[in-house]
Amino acid sequence: MHDSTRPSLRPSRRTVLATTAGLTAALAVQGPGAAHAASRDGKSDKKLRALVSRMTLEEKVGQLFVMRVYGHSATAPDQADVDANLKEIGVRTAAELIARYRVGGIIYFAWAHNTRDPHQIADLSNGIQKASLGLPRGLPLLVSTDQEHGIVCRVGEPATLFPGAMAVGAGEKGREALPQKGGGGRRAGGSTGDAHTLGRVSGAELRAVGVNQNYSPVADVNVDPANPVIGVRSFGADPDAVARLVAAEVKGYQSSKVAATAKHFPGHGDTVDDSHARLPYIHHTREQWERLDAPPFRAAIAAGIDSIMTAHIVVPALDGSDDPATLSRPILTGILRGELGYDGVVVTDSLGMEGVRTKYGDDRVPVLALKAGVDQLLNPPSLDIAWNAVLNAVRDGELTEARLDESILRILRLKAKLGLFDDPYVTRAGVDRTVGTRAHLAAADRIAERTTTLLVNEGRLLPLSRRVHRGILVVGADPASPSGTTGPPTGVLAGALAELGFTATALPTGTAPSAAAVDQAVAAAREADAVVVATYNVTAGSSQKTLVERLLATGRPVIAVAIRNPYDVAQLPSVPAHLAAYSWTDVELRAAARVIAGRVEPRGRLPVPVQRADDPAKVLYPVGYGLSY
C-alpha cells in the first residue's frame, strides 16, 4: 500500500489536529504576512506556545534542523541509499532519521534519489509526514528543495520547468518593452506577470508532490560578471528590477501555499568566490549595500516572504568581525530583524559548504548561527555533531531554552500558515491533476519565448530561411542537464530545428573541445548550409573560441547561442549572429530555436551589462539592449 493512501494516515494526524483545531483557519484570514503577524494573534499563538511547552529539549533541538536523507522512500530505500544514510547520518531511512533526531524539516535532492518522478515524490513526502506524526507529540515537517528553475532544479520532467531567473529578467516587460528594430538601450525589467506565473505554477506543482518550502527566488543582484556561484541564477544587475521580480515570484509561490525563500542575505551578487568552496568577501560600503543589495530583500519582506536564507559571506561594512553573515548577529538580528523589520523564518544556507566551515568547527557553527538569529539549520555535514552541539549549548547555558523557543515558534507559525496542521498529506490524484499539465507547459513555453535575447544580427542573417539554410549543423557545449530535462543541448536544439522544417544534425564538441573535435566540426560544417554553435562561458583562452573561429573560416553562416552567461558575445566579436538563452534547459533551447527559425521574434533584453573583453571598464552592450526582426 502506498504512503499516499489516506485511511492509513488519518490516525497519526489526530493527535496534532486535536491540539491545533482551528489554528490554520485563524491564520488563513491574515493574508500574505500571516507567518509574521501570527505573533499578534493571541489565540493562534497560544495554541502554538502550548505545543512548544510540551516538547522535550531534545525535540526542540531537532525542530531547528532541516536535513538531507538518501532514498526514494521514507521506509524502504534502495540498499545503496541505506548504506549512504548509515555512513553519513547513522540511520537507515528517513523514518529512522525523524525518530532519532525529531528534525523539523527534510530537504530533497536529485542526487540523494529523492526526486525520481512525481508519484514517487508524493509517496516519499507522505511517508515522511506519517513517520513524524506517528511519534509522541509528532509534528508535521517542512519539506524543502531548491527549485529555482533554469540551471538549479531538483524536480525534473515531467514537472513543468521554467526559464531561470536571468532569463525572466530578460523577458519582455509588457508591450512597451518590445525593442525597436536595430536595437536600443532602454531600461530592461522583465515581466512581473511572468515571475508571478512561474511562482504560482511551480508552487502548485511542488505542493502537489508534498514540497511546502522552496529555496527560491534568488534575490542577489548579479553585479560581477565573473560571479561563479550566482550568475544566471540572479534576475539581473538592476536592483529595482530584481526587487520587482523577487516580490512577484514570492507572491506567486505563496499563493500556492508554498513558502518562498529569498536568498542569499545580505546579498551574494558581487563576488568572484564560490561559498561552496571558500569564504567570499563582499567589499560594498554600507551605502552600496543599501543601494545595490538591500532592495530585493526589502521587497521580499514587503511581499510577505515566509523565509529568508543566509549567505556564507563576509561583509566588513556590515560586521567587522570577519564572521560570515550566517553567524553574524549584527547582520541577522541587527539589520535583518531590527532594521528591515523581518520576523519570519531565517534559514541558513547549507552548513556543509566550506564558506561557513572556514573559521569555526562543525560543532560551533550551529550554535553560533542560533546566537546570530537563525531559526533553521540546514543540512549540517554531521547531524549528530550539530544536534548534540546545540543540545549541550543549552545544557551548559550558552544558549537558553527560551532562545530555542523563539525559533521554534516561528517555524510552527509557518507550518500552521501552510496548513500542515490541518492536512500535510498529498494524493496521487492531485499529482495527476497538477504536475506537468498541458496548460502549465504552455505557460513555460510562452514565458521562454519572451526571454531569448538577440545581440548581433549582421546582414539580417536571422531568421534563417528553410530555402537557403535548410541543412543546419548544431555543434558546441553539452553540459549535463541541470534540471532533469532531456538534453543534451545540441540534441535539443537540433531536434527543435528539425521540428520546424530544417534538416538538423547534432555534433557535440563539449565545453573544452579538443583539436580532433574541432577538426571534425569544421569538416561537418563545410557540408552544412549554416552552423549553430552552443557556447558556454567562453573565456579568452577557451578552445570554444578556437572552435568558433575555425567555423567562421569555413565561410558558412555561424549563429552562436550562449547557453549560460550572456557575456560570451564579448569574446566572439566576429560572429554574425548571437543569441543569449541564459540556460541550457529544454524550454529555453526550444524558444531559441523558434527565434532562429523566425517562428517568434526575439523580445528579450539584457538584464545585465556586457563589458568589452579587451577593456572591461567599457560597456559593449548595456542593460536593456536587445534586437528584434
Side-chain angles (χ1 to χ4, degrees), residues 30-54:
Q30 296 182 45
H36 320 315
S39 60
R40 295 187 292 274
D41 183 330
K43 184 178 179 181
S44 57
D45 242 28
K46 186 176 180 180
K47 293 177 182 294
L48 294 177
R49 291 179 190 277
L51 284 178
V52 176
S53 70
R54 285 190 285 273

Side-chain angles (χ1 to χ4, degrees), residues 482-505:
S483 57
T485 58
T486 57
T490 54
V492 173
L493 277 170
L497 289 166
E499 289 179 5
L500 295 167
F502 294 89
T503 302
T505 304

Side-chain angles (χ1 to χ4, degrees), residues 370-566:
L370 290 169
K371 293 175 76 170
V374 157
D375 301 306
Q376 288 184 303
L377 300 162
L378 177 63
N379 202 26
S382 169
L383 179 58
D384 193 62
I385 289 174
W387 188 91
N388 278 294
V390 174
L391 185 68
N392 291 331
V394 177
R395 288 174 172 167
D396 295 344
E398 184 178 6
L399 287 170
T400 65
E401 197 164 345
R403 168 65 192 89
L404 267 57
D405 291 351
E406 289 177 24
S407 288
I408 293 164
L409 189 58
R410 290 192 188 100
I411 293 166
L412 295 185
R413 285 174 186 153
L414 179 53
K415 291 180 179 183
K417 180 192 172 186
L418 295 173
L420 300 182
F421 289 105
D422 181 41
D423 186 359
Y425 298 111
V426 294
T427 66
R428 288 191 161 208
V431 170
D432 294 337
R433 283 195 307 269
T434 309
V435 178
T437 65
R438 185 175 300 177
H440 288 177
L441 295 172
D445 280 334
R446 285 195 302 270
I447 290 173
E449 286 181 352
R450 294 191 277 269
T451 68
T452 307
T453 306
L454 179 62
L455 298 174
V456 179
N457 194 21
E458 293 178 3
R460 295 181 181 259
L461 172 58
L462 294 180
L464 293 182
S465 163
R466 282 181 294 172
R467 293 190 305 274
V468 180
H469 306 111
R470 189 168 190 84
I472 299 178
L473 174 69
V474 181
V475 301
D478 262 350
S481 172
S483 57
T485 58
T486 57
T490 54
V492 173
L493 277 170
L497 289 166
E499 289 179 5
L500 295 167
F502 294 89
T503 302
T505 304
L507 180 62
T509 50
T511 55
S514 65
V518 172
D519 288 342
Q520 185 183 12
V522 169
R526 292 194 177 102
E527 306 300 319
D529 298 316
V531 180
V532 174
V533 55
T535 67
Y536 182 98
N537 293 3
V538 178
T539 60
S542 170
S543 57
Q544 290 184 72
K545 192 171 181 179
T546 303
L547 169 67
V548 174
E549 290 169 350
R550 289 280 306 280
L551 291 170
L552 288 168
T554 66
R556 296 294 186 269
V558 175
I559 300 96
V561 181
I563 62 172
R564 186 161 180 169
N565 291 337

Side-chain angles (χ1 to χ4, degrees), residues 167-180 186-191 194 445-455 579-580 582 591 594-595 599-607 624-629:
V168 174
E172 182 183 4
K173 185 185 173 186
R175 294 180 182 273
E176 76 283 357
L178 188 64
Q180 299 297 316
R186 293 200 304 275
R187 191 178 182 87
S191 165
D194 286 350
D445 280 334
R446 285 195 302 270
I447 290 173
E449 286 181 352
R450 294 191 277 269
T451 68
T452 307
T453 306
L454 179 62
L455 298 174
L579 294 163
Y582 306 100
R594 291 194 291 275
V595 168
R599 292 298 179 91
V600 297
E601 290 209 1
R603 289 181 279 179
R605 301 171 71 78
L606 281 174
Y625 185 88
L627 306 176
S628 188
Y629 295 153

Side-chain angles (χ1 to χ4, degrees), residues 94-444:
E96 289 183 15
L97 164 68
I98 294 163
R100 179 176 299 184
Y101 291 102
R102 303 300 292 263
V103 293
I106 296 287
I107 180 172
Y108 287 169
F109 292 104
W111 52 259
H113 311 136
N114 305 138
T115 57
R116 290 180 179 176
D117 66 75
H119 283 157
Q120 168 270 316
I121 301 169
D123 289 347
L124 173 61
S125 300
N126 283 339
I128 284 170
Q129 299 293 359
K130 181 180 178 182
S132 183
L133 292 173
L135 297 169
R137 297 170 302 282
L139 296 170
L141 269 71
L142 288 167
V143 178
S144 61
T145 198
D146 294 281
Q147 192 79 349
E148 295 176 12
H149 293 276
I151 71 169
V152 176
C153 275
R154 311 303 186 201
V155 180
E157 288 190 330
T160 304
L161 299 172
F162 284 88
M166 191 171 285
V168 174
E172 182 183 4
K173 185 185 173 186
R175 294 180 182 273
E176 76 283 357
L178 188 64
Q180 299 297 316
K181 300 210 182 267
R186 293 200 304 275
R187 191 178 182 87
S191 165
T192 54
D194 286 350
H196 187 278
T197 297
L198 185 159
R200 176 180 57 80
V201 171
S202 179
E205 296 197 5
L206 289 173
R207 185 69 191 229
V209 299
V211 175
N212 46 54
Q213 183 178 22
N214 189 23
Y215 298 138
S216 189
V218 172
D220 303 314
V221 180
N222 198 67
V223 176
D224 192 334
N227 192 319
V229 65
I230 304 301
V232 293
R233 297 167 64 196
S234 164
F235 287 110
D238 180 339
D240 294 334
V242 173
R244 289 189 304 102
L245 296 172
V246 163
E249 195 167 300
V250 166
K251 291 177 180 177
Y253 274 112
Q254 296 186 179
S255 72
S256 293
K257 296 192 77 69
V258 167
T261 308
K263 62 186 186 186
H264 307 77
F265 189 82
H268 207 320
D270 191 8
T271 175
V272 296
D273 292 320
D274 183 348
S275 53
H276 291 83
R278 58 184 59 86
L279 179 59
Y281 280 70
I282 305 288
H283 293 291
H284 287 178
T285 65
R286 176 62 192 249
E287 186 278 330
Q288 287 174 316
W289 178 81
E290 290 280 2
R291 177 168 49 87
L292 294 172
D293 302 292
F297 292 101
R298 291 185 185 276
I301 293 167
I305 186 79
D306 283 329
S307 49
I308 290 178
M309 180 178 284
T310 68
H312 305 325
I313 56 174
V314 175
V315 189
L318 305 184
D319 181 356
S321 70
D322 258 12
D323 281 345
T326 298
L327 310 181
S328 168
R329 187 169 178 82
I331 291 175
L332 298 186
T333 298
I335 296 175
L336 179 57
R337 296 224 188 269
E339 296 179 24
L340 272 59
Y342 178 66
D343 193 37
V345 170
V346 174
V347 56
T348 70
D349 206 341
S350 171
L351 297 183
M353 294 165 59
E354 287 303 314
V356 79
R357 303 172 73 193
T358 301
K359 189 174 178 182
Y360 301 100
D362 293 338
D363 59 334
R364 294 299 299 153
V365 166
V367 175
L368 294 173
L370 290 169
K371 293 175 76 170
V374 157
D375 301 306
Q376 288 184 303
L377 300 162
L378 177 63
N379 202 26
S382 169
L383 179 58
D384 193 62
I385 289 174
W387 188 91
N388 278 294
V390 174
L391 185 68
N392 291 331
V394 177
R395 288 174 172 167
D396 295 344
E398 184 178 6
L399 287 170
T400 65
E401 197 164 345
R403 168 65 192 89
L404 267 57
D405 291 351
E406 289 177 24
S407 288
I408 293 164
L409 189 58
R410 290 192 188 100
I411 293 166
L412 295 185
R413 285 174 186 153
L414 179 53
K415 291 180 179 183
K417 180 192 172 186
L418 295 173
L420 300 182
F421 289 105
D422 181 41
D423 186 359
Y425 298 111
V426 294
T427 66
R428 288 191 161 208
V431 170
D432 294 337
R433 283 195 307 269
T434 309
V435 178
T437 65
R438 185 175 300 177
H440 288 177
L441 295 172

